[in-house]
Amino acid sequence: MYAFLAWLQTHAEGLPEHRIANIFEPRSTPGDMERHIANLTLGITGIIFVVVGGLIVYTIWRFRRKPGDDSRQEPPQVYGSNQIEIAWTVIPILIVFILIGVSARVIAAIQNASPPHSTLKIRLIGHQWWWEVEYPDFKVKTANEIHVPVNADGHTATYLQLESLDVIHSFWVPQIAGKTDLIPNRVNYMWIDPKEAGIFFGNCAEYCGTQHANMLLRLVVQPQNEFNAWVAQQAQPAEANPVDPGVAQGKNMFESLACVNCHRVQGTTATGVFGPDLTHLMSRQTIGAGVLPMNHQNLRDWVNDPQNAKPGCFMPSMKLTDAELDQVVSYLESLR
Amino acid sequence: MASIDYPLERPDIEDTGWHFAENLYRWIATVDHKKLGLMYIVSALIFLCVAGVMAVVIRLQLAFPNGHVVDPDTYDRLFTMHGTTMVFLVGMPIVAGLSNYLVPLMIGARDMAFPRLNSFGFWIFLFGGLLLYYSYIGGSGLSGAGSAPDVGWFAYAPLTTKSFSRGHSVDYWALGVLVSGFGSIASAINVIATTISLRCPGMTLSKMPMFVWVMLVDAWLILIALPPLSAGQIMLLLDRYLGANFFNTQHGGSAVLWQHIFWIFGHPEVYILIFPAFAILSELVPIFSRKPLFGRPAMVGAVVAIGFISLGVWAHHMFAVGMTSWSNTFFAASSMLVGIPTGIKIFNWTATMYGGRIRLLTPMLFCCAFLLQFLVAGLTGIMLAVAPFDWQLHDSYFVVAHFHFTLAGGLVTALFGGFYYWYPKVAGRMYNETLAKWHFWLFIIGFNLTFIPLHFAGTLGMPRRIYTYAPGRGWEIWNQLASLGALMQAAAVTLFAWNVIYSAIKGEPAGDDPWDAWTLEWGTTSPPPEYNFEKLPVVRSSRPLWDLKHPNDPDWKYE
């Protein structure tokens, strides 16, 4: 079942899915720089581990008391040696200075890099427990899935402006870049330039309350033309007067309920801002910030009782009858 | 009780009648440093078992994807209480307990400098701990794990503000830890005063046992580092009840300010916690290798240097908050510098063993495991200090593995060694060596099975503090191994508890000096009388009992 769903998702988008977010397989410049310094550090510490660990084990083995030893005879009493102390102080100092120098270079290279000339701007706002994604240049708002163009020419990057509306969250898509926190009352920035199309998995990396575990994130990296098409489609408002009578009925139901207090559907009277924008809900791969794959049954279950899949989240069950539920879901399913 | 004629009282030959009320009163009213030290250690061990059970539940929940052992809120309370308990109700009383029991004995004193302050410190610590645990039955009741704190042991703002933490769970955390912190400060003042003013004739600072040196630096660190935490907690309570808005971001407060205040305490704190392990190693390694500590002055210098540097590294917990590149570079550099004195310590312990005749009894086995595990912890610490690497590793399971390697693989491992080593002195009876060896191997294998795999889960993008995870992200196998290891550790600790209780009743009488040791506590009876020494000793070197046992080749000729 799970494998089938994964297959379905992979093929629905036509992009390879990177579920296994290995930090040693980066697909973006910052992630790549971090991998290089990680490998250097691992190499140095690995050598230290082998040498020092080997010495410790050798010493224990070589100088252990053997059964036949005279228990009363004490070994020669050695109190220390200044030369040896100096040697094993100076060598670590040299190693540490190498690491400090390399760290300083990489920190500056990542943090102080000026964005390349064709830069996409995204405003990422953390909420308990979902991500609001805004493209200020295109007047597009979406949630939990960040679409960015692939850096094919070496001059395309995405600049993220990180904010939070409630508590601290942290943006982490391991194959793309290390994490940066989303902090209320503060604006952080980071940049990414994914070099390969695909769907990259990430998580909120700062504990942010009950559903921290299900504050999942997908970075959808698309070729530039597909990205442009996606943006153009997302900028469209929803249908104000649906022709399908079932959908129109559902729309009325949706707008008569408290749904509109929290959710926005662009082009309609639903203008809430506390929950995710639903204008193009069906273009997303998951429900509830990654907690369920998007399909009819899951959507219906979710609207029926979100607390079942994501206990503690702020969306209440509206206690709808089966008929009402069908109407609302058929409306939601028209939001493509 | 002042009328008791002390020199006639020998606890080991006292009548064994069951005078429950009288004994209880004796323990409650005592100002004796050994009784208080024992009470500190026993409370810490009980809290260790409680927090250990929480850890097992956490590991059961995470053993398989989509685990359903506990619900999310309960899980959040579990990891918060596990961390808070281990740091404030296990680590801190262990520092106080070991110093209390051993420092006066090792420096040839009859008690701590301020016995009543000492008693106050213990009881206020215990009160703080019980207040924290009262949260389980306070608030919404036992079902749903009461209103125990659920904000993580470092309680980041603004999750702790009224808007995001309704009810009283954060208040229990702030007050419980604040109050138990007063106990730690009291005990630190006492250790400093005792080591400065009550050393026996002849014991200059250069002849003071290494254990006492480390605990002295530790006490200074507590005295410097804890008040900022207390201040922060008071600010937090002002925020919650008087609208102070230091950390309340919805009214213009700063979330980053809390992080600075917390970690200015929090980073020295991890050295405060690991220092008892250094202290234990510095006594046990020489005794079991039959050689004096190699490079004593360098060891003293190293521990003082660690103390100083540890006060300037706090923001390495904050590489991801978006500090400037200069700040990040500064804190990366200062954090790596700690590695130098720490390395010196490991080298000196190894050199102490080199050329010795190492008796591989249980206390020494734990020391050997400490050296290797602490080496790993130190090296992963260097990785985390490399800020760009830390941007990936921060708040992932790699960090969880790293700090458990320092605190469980380092502190707890060394503590088990220390407990077995001083057990015959405290109980007057020997522990069971076979059971102890079982404990050692089960614990060490279980520990490594738990925490080595978690490094890998972290590098595969698994964040810490998640109550569940979906299958297919490459985390399953590492989590299953970790959970298996946790069960082994639980079994090992059960063996330890059984050994401690059983041997106290049925163990072989140990004698005054079962290890053929060199510091003053082995020069008195086991257990020591209330006055410690009939006649205050006079010492001429850092190994006074060696001098007594080798009159032809005493240490003071060389020191």
Side-chain angles (χ1 to χ4, degrees):
Chain A
M1 176 65 186
Y2 164 73
F4 174 72
L5 283 177
W7 177 87
L8 200 71
Q9 284 170 27
T10 309
H11 290 259
E13 277 285 335
L15 291 170
E17 254 187 22
H18 297 271
R19 270 174 190 278
I20 296 182
N22 188 345
I23 65 169
F24 292 103
E25 287 175 14
R27 297 288 186 272
S28 173
T29 306
D32 205 39
M33 284 195 267
E34 283 153 10
R35 181 195 54 173
H36 277 297
I37 196 169
N39 283 340
L40 174 76
T41 313
L42 280 172
I44 291 174
T45 51
I47 292 169
I48 297 174
F49 177 74
V50 170
V51 172
V52 179
L55 259 175
I56 294 172
V57 172
Y58 168 79
T59 306
I60 295 167
W61 186 253
R62 168 78 179 71
F63 296 103
R64 75 191 191 285
R65 179 169 293 182
K66 292 153 200 105
D69 288 354
D70 178 6
S71 66
R72 251 181 295 225
Q73 204 201 335
E74 303 281 16
Q77 303 294 297
V78 180
Y79 296 88
S81 150
N82 285 339
Q83 286 91 334
I84 296 177
E85 295 291 345
I86 289 167
W88 66 40
T89 308
V90 170
I91 295 169
I93 289 177
L94 295 178
I95 296 173
V96 159
F97 272 89
I98 292 170
L99 278 174
I100 292 174
V102 180
S103 301
R105 270 187 61 171
V106 178
I107 291 169
I110 294 177
Q111 279 196 278
N112 302 345
S114 43
H117 39 261
S118 63
T119 297
L120 170 72
K121 287 188 199 66
I122 294 179
R123 199 167 155 229
L124 184 67
I125 303 168
H127 296 257
Q128 279 180 322
W129 292 277
W130 61 283
W131 309 85
E132 180 177 347
V133 190
E134 189 184 329
Y135 296 75
D137 296 341
F138 304 103
K139 305 263 183 290
V140 164
K141 267 191 189 180
T142 178
N144 303 327
E145 281 159 33
I146 307 177
H147 286 248
V148 298
V150 69
N151 177 16
D153 54 2
H155 299 292
T156 311
T158 303
Y159 214 61
L160 295 162
Q161 177 178 328
L162 307 171
E163 299 168 43
S164 169
L165 267 187
D166 38 47
V167 301
I168 301 178
H169 305 278
S170 192
F171 171 83
W172 188 28
V173 182
Q175 286 187 275
I176 302 302
K179 57 190 74 62
T180 307
D181 292 348
L182 291 74
I183 302 173
N185 257 2
R186 182 187 172 100
V187 181
N188 276 336
Y189 297 96
M190 72 181 289
W191 61 278
I192 56 176
D193 64 338
K195 291 168 180 160
E196 188 183 302
I199 301 169
F200 297 92
F201 278 54
N203 294 64
C204 173
E206 183 66 77
Y207 174 65
C208 53
T210 311
Q211 277 296 341
H212 165 57
N214 284 319
M215 187 165 165
L216 307 172
L217 179 65
R218 287 175 186 218
L219 188 78
V220 183
V221 183
Q222 295 169 302
Q224 188 73 49
N225 57 336
E226 283 179 33
F227 173 76
N228 292 344
W230 177 83
V231 164
Q233 191 263 336
Q234 294 283 311
Q236 302 290 323
E239 220 174 345
N241 297 303
V243 261
D244 185 320
V247 172
Q249 224 174 7
K251 181 168 180 285
N252 286 339
M253 176 60 64
F254 180 83
E255 287 171 359
S256 71
L257 291 166
C259 307
V260 295
N261 293 346
C262 296
H263 292 290
R264 191 179 79 129
V265 180
Q266 205 194 334
T268 73
T269 55
T271 53
V273 292
F274 299 115
D277 188 301
L278 300 181
T279 312
H280 300 281
L281 176 65
M282 296 314 287
S283 70
R284 297 185 204 143
Q285 301 161 24
T286 66
I287 305 169
V291 72
L292 294 169
M294 175 68 84
N295 61 40
H296 173 76
Q297 190 55 44
N298 282 345
L299 186 61
R300 198 173 186 283
D301 291 345
W302 173 263
V303 176
N304 183 32
D305 187 8
Q307 301 299 321
N308 198 22
K310 199 168 176 176
C313 75
F314 291 125
M315 179 165 161
S317 163
M318 304 305 293
K319 310 264 189 270
L320 303 180
T321 64
D322 273 355
E324 291 167 336
L325 204 54
D326 285 331
Q327 288 173 0
V328 171
V329 171
S330 69
Y331 172 58
L332 291 178
E333 285 180 332
S334 76
L335 300 172
R336 301 200 164 270
Chain B
M1 255 175 253
S3 65
I4 290 174
D5 193 6
Y6 283 132
L8 292 181
E9 190 190 47
R10 284 287 302 267
D12 48 338
I13 51 169
E14 215 177 7
D15 92 289
T16 50
W18 184 249
H19 308 295
F20 181 76
E22 200 179 317
N23 278 327
L24 187 70
Y25 177 77
R26 251 188 226 189
W27 282 92
I28 290 176
T30 188
V31 291
D32 173 35
H33 72 99
K34 293 179 294 297
K35 284 205 171 84
L36 286 165
L38 269 185
M39 289 197 286
Y40 265 121
I41 288 170
V42 169
S43 336
L45 287 177
I46 291 170
F47 281 123
L48 177 84
C49 292
V50 173
V53 170
M54 292 176 184
V56 170
V57 178
I58 288 173
R59 282 316 323 165
L60 288 178
Q61 166 81 2
L62 294 179
F64 298 97
N66 297 330
H68 281 296
V69 177
V70 290
D71 62 40
D73 280 326
T74 310
Y75 183 87
D76 297 342
R77 295 180 205 283
L78 278 173
F79 74 67
T80 302
M81 288 297 273
H82 169 80
T84 308
T85 306
M86 286 296 195
V87 171
F88 295 104
L89 306 180
V90 179
M92 297 304 272
I94 283 289
V95 175
L98 285 176
S99 317
N100 254 307
Y101 198 98
L102 292 169
V103 165
L105 283 170
M106 283 186 167
I107 62 172
R110 294 231 146 103
D111 205 324
M112 298 287 277
F114 309 121
R116 280 162 204 279
L117 180 68
N118 204 8
S119 161
F120 165 80
F122 169 74
W123 291 106
I124 196 95
F125 142 75
L126 191 66
F127 174 73
L130 295 178
L131 179 64
L132 183 65
Y133 271 81
Y134 181 73
S135 63
Y136 271 100
I137 40 178
S140 51
L142 261 180
S143 63
S147 49
D150 58 354
V151 287
W153 83 273
F154 38 76
Y156 268 7
L159 197 60
T160 49
T161 56
K162 274 271 181 195
S163 350
F164 303 110
S165 283
R166 295 175 197 91
H168 293 294
S169 59
V170 171
D171 306 326
Y172 282 116
W173 180 83
L175 279 171
V177 173
L178 178 69
V179 165
S180 76
F182 295 154
S184 302
I185 294 172
S187 151
I189 292 170
N190 218 341
V191 171
I192 294 169
T194 308
T195 43
I196 299 296
S197 59
L198 292 185
R199 278 170 286 129
C200 68
M203 186 177 281
T204 59
L205 282 178
S206 64
K207 291 176 183 137
M208 195 163 79
M210 197 60 208
F211 181 96
V212 183
W213 254 111
V214 178
M215 297 317 266
L216 174 63
V217 178
D218 207 14
W220 274 110
L221 267 187
I222 292 177
L223 201 56
I224 296 167
L226 262 180
L229 175 71
S230 305
Q233 287 168 326
I234 291 168
M235 287 160 84
L236 174 60
L237 291 168
L238 291 177
D239 263 18
R240 285 174 64 82
Y241 289 100
L242 297 174
N245 297 331
F246 291 110
F247 313 119
N248 188 348
T249 47
Q250 293 181 318
H251 288 92
S254 166
V256 179
L257 175 66
W258 169 264
Q259 300 191 12
H260 280 294
I261 290 178
F262 188 88
W263 291 117
I264 280 173
F265 149 78
H267 206 82
E269 170 69 7
V270 304
Y271 292 94
I272 291 169
L273 294 177
I274 196 67
F275 272 11
F278 292 177
I280 289 168
L281 265 273
S282 301
E283 292 302 320
L284 270 61
V285 171
I287 298 290
F288 285 92
S289 308
R290 310 307 301 164
K291 279 179 65 207
L293 188 63
F294 191 91
R296 229 182 92 89
M299 288 296 257
V300 172
V303 76
V304 174
I306 294 173
F308 271 107
I309 300 172
S310 76
L311 295 169
V313 301
W314 74 89
H316 69 212
H317 296 267
M318 300 164 58
F319 285 143
V321 304
M323 293 187 298
T324 62
S325 57
W326 282 107
S327 308
N328 283 337
T329 306
F330 175 85
F331 285 104
S334 63
S335 308
M336 284 183 231
L337 285 180
V338 185
I340 297 166
T342 313
I344 291 174
K345 296 199 81 75
I346 292 184
F347 296 142
N348 276 307
W349 287 319
T350 311
T352 305
M353 296 191 295
Y354 196 92
R357 286 161 172 271
I358 306 169
R359 289 186 292 182
L360 286 176
L361 297 168
T362 311
M364 188 59 188
L365 286 176
F366 275 108
C367 290
C368 296
F370 169 92
L371 284 175
L372 290 170
Q373 286 165 182
F374 190 68
L375 176 65
V376 173
L379 295 175
T380 53
I382 293 286
M383 296 176 204
L384 292 167
V386 175
F389 199 2
D390 181 74
W391 286 331
Q392 286 286 15
L393 300 177
H394 179 72
D395 266 339
S396 77
Y397 257 86
F398 188 92
V399 172
V400 174
H402 160 74
F403 68 70
H404 281 94
F405 254 84
T406 61
L407 292 181
L411 173 64
V412 175
T413 301
L415 277 180
F416 283 137
F419 286 153
Y420 284 121
Y421 175 69
W422 280 292
Y423 186 84
K425 176 55 57 183
V426 175
R429 293 175 185 277
M430 205 60 184
Y431 63 86
N432 182 321
E433 182 72 27
T434 315
L435 269 181
K437 286 232 164 75
W438 272 95
H439 165 211
F440 170 78
W441 287 109
L442 262 179
F443 181 78
I444 296 304
I445 294 170
F447 165 78
N448 284 288
L449 191 60
T450 305
F451 292 107
I452 289 174
L454 292 183
H455 290 100
F456 297 99
T459 63
L460 293 175
M462 181 169 175
R464 66 194 281 200
R465 300 180 163 177
I466 53 173
Y467 77 92
T468 189
Y469 54 94
R473 297 198 58 185
W475 303 340
E476 289 95 329
I477 179 70
W478 311 115
N479 278 288
Q480 280 158 18
L481 291 174
S483 298
L484 193 66
L487 294 176
M488 288 178 72
Q489 290 182 70
V493 175
T494 313
L495 282 184
F496 169 70
W498 170 250
N499 201 350
V500 167
I501 296 166
Y502 178 82
S503 305
I505 304 161
K506 292 278 173 74
E508 298 281 319
D512 292 348
D513 184 15
W515 307 116
D516 190 7
W518 304 318
T519 39
L520 286 176
E521 78 270 29
W522 303 102
T524 184
T525 54
S526 305
E530 202 151 337
Y531 46 87
N532 294 350
F533 304 96
E534 282 175 33
K535 222 175 79 186
L536 280 189
V538 178
V539 303
R540 300 183 71 179
S541 80
S542 60
R543 295 196 296 170
L545 296 199
W546 169 275
D547 296 348
L548 278 181
K549 291 167 187 170
H550 300 83
N552 300 326
D553 187 29
D555 256 8
W556 47 265
K557 278 193 181 167
Y558 306 99
E559 276 186 358

